[in-house]
Amino acid sequence: MSKLLTVFGATGLQGGSLLRYLLKRADVLKIYRLRGVTRNTKKPAAVALEEAGVEMVRVLNLETCGWPTHAHARSVWEKGLAELEVAQGKAMADAAIAAGAELIVWSSLPNVTAMSGGKLARIKNTCCLADLVKDDQGKLVFSVTWSGRCPLIDIKDAGKFIVPALLSPDEYNGKRFTAATAFYTPAAMVEAWKKVTGKEIKLDEANPGAWGKGFPPDLLEMLKEVTGLIEDYECYGRTGQEDLDWTLAQMDDPPTTWEKFVEENEPWFD
């Protein structure tokens, strides 16, 4: 009998891309049957997954799964509380164990405060602040607050990073996969854009103070820490490149490069 693989957030960018990728992997489907958890099984994305062979389950409250928990499966962005997201995560992990799950694959970000030894304590969700705009002369400007390397990933590649653990769970139990295609500087990103699109793009590496002019003081301080996170820790920590090299060596399907991503998502500037 095949094992059950349940994906939470099945109609979101990450969960949806994961399920669509797994549906293409015959080796995975020989082992697992797929279930997607969502709050609305009538939405087009859920219907499409159901038609493709995913069992879609509507869950507003985790207790409706028959699991002994009362944590609501809502996004932290709805309430704006990191504590809520932590509580939800613990509830889902506890419920999975109570239900007899053999494997939990958890998608997360580094604990920035711990990674930086307490130097960066304001960042609750890792992000890279950037904007692509037109200046007064109508020229394209890529405005960022950093100049160092930042990890990039095409979210459609989510399944590529998870398949090794699904096919060999014992081998990868307790392991951490660093999900990224590569580390790119803003300059490298701009060069790829220019090469693929044929457009002239100016790079503006503004300091956080200038970029966040008019921001509330607390938000501006967090913006400065985000810049420090990239410049000093490359988002994934000082072993990020080593960790990524190991991760890529485990994968049988290479991730999409930034250049390929730019090509596949044309047109950018029309």
Side-chain angles (χ1 to χ4, degrees):
M1 182 177 179
S2 60
K3 298 180 179 181
L4 174 63
L5 175 62
T6 301
V7 177
F8 284 84
T11 57
L13 287 175
Q14 192 170 170
S17 65
L18 168 59
L19 284 167
R20 286 189 292 273
Y21 180 76
L22 295 181
L23 285 166
K24 301 174 184 177
R25 294 285 305 230
D27 50 354
V28 171
L29 297 179
K30 286 180 180 178
I31 304 172
Y32 300 96
R33 66 187 191 279
L34 305 178
R35 173 182 290 169
V37 175
T38 182
R39 285 174 289 168
N40 182 0
T41 56
K42 302 301 182 183
K43 65 194 302 185
V47 173
L49 286 170
E50 185 88 55
E51 291 176 347
V54 179
E55 176 196 1
M56 296 300 294
V57 177
R58 180 175 181 263
V59 176
L60 293 177
N61 192 309
L62 289 184
E63 65 181 83
T64 62
C65 286
W67 294 341
T69 178
H70 298 275
H72 291 272
R74 293 178 179 169
S75 167
V76 64
W77 300 111
E78 295 180 24
K79 296 291 185 179
L81 296 174
E83 293 80 6
L84 176 62
E85 187 176 31
V86 171
Q88 290 175 357
K90 289 181 177 179
M92 283 190 282
D94 289 344
I97 293 172
E102 297 178 6
L103 175 69
I104 298 176
V105 180
W106 193 259
S107 176
S108 184
L109 291 167
N111 183 321
V112 175
T113 301
M115 185 175 70
S116 66
K119 294 178 181 178
L120 306 176
R122 296 174 181 268
I123 304 173
K124 302 303 181 184
N125 293 283
T126 308
C127 60
C128 300
L129 295 181
D131 200 8
L132 184 65
V133 298
K134 287 186 177 180
D135 63 15
D136 296 338
Q137 286 75 44
K139 295 182 179 179
L140 293 164
V141 179
F142 185 47
S143 180
V144 297
T145 63
W146 78 95
S147 60
R149 302 194 316 162
C150 184
L152 298 182
I153 181 175
D154 183 348
I155 200 60
K156 295 195 298 293
D157 288 343
K160 297 179 181 181
F161 292 91
I162 294 173
V163 160
L166 296 179
L167 296 180
S168 304
D170 292 338
E171 180 180 350
Y172 294 107
N173 184 33
K175 301 293 185 180
R176 184 182 70 182
F177 283 72
T178 297
T181 296
F183 291 87
Y184 293 87
T185 63
M189 294 169 65
V190 166
E191 285 306 310
W193 252 328
K194 292 164 64 175
K195 179 181 178 181
V196 172
T197 66
K199 302 286 187 179
E200 186 61 33
I201 304 170
K202 176 185 175 183
L203 175 61
D204 176 27
E205 295 176 346
N207 65 66
W211 208 91
K213 189 175 296 183
F215 283 13
D218 285 350
L219 184 58
L220 181 57
E221 288 304 310
M222 190 187 77
L223 173 59
K224 291 178 180 178
E225 287 201 2
V226 170
T227 300
L229 172 64
I230 301 171
E231 297 288 7
D232 298 333
Y233 299 95
E234 296 186 339
C235 288
Y236 283 167
R238 287 175 175 158
T239 63
Q241 184 63 64
E242 178 183 347
D243 296 338
L244 178 58
D245 291 343
W246 177 86
T247 297
L248 296 177
Q250 314 310 307
M251 299 166 62
D252 61 10
D253 191 1
T256 305
T257 64
W258 167 245
E259 292 80 3
K260 187 65 175 178
F261 176 85
V262 173
E263 290 177 5
E264 292 179 347
N265 287 276
E266 284 267 57
W268 285 83
F269 313 120
D270 293 347

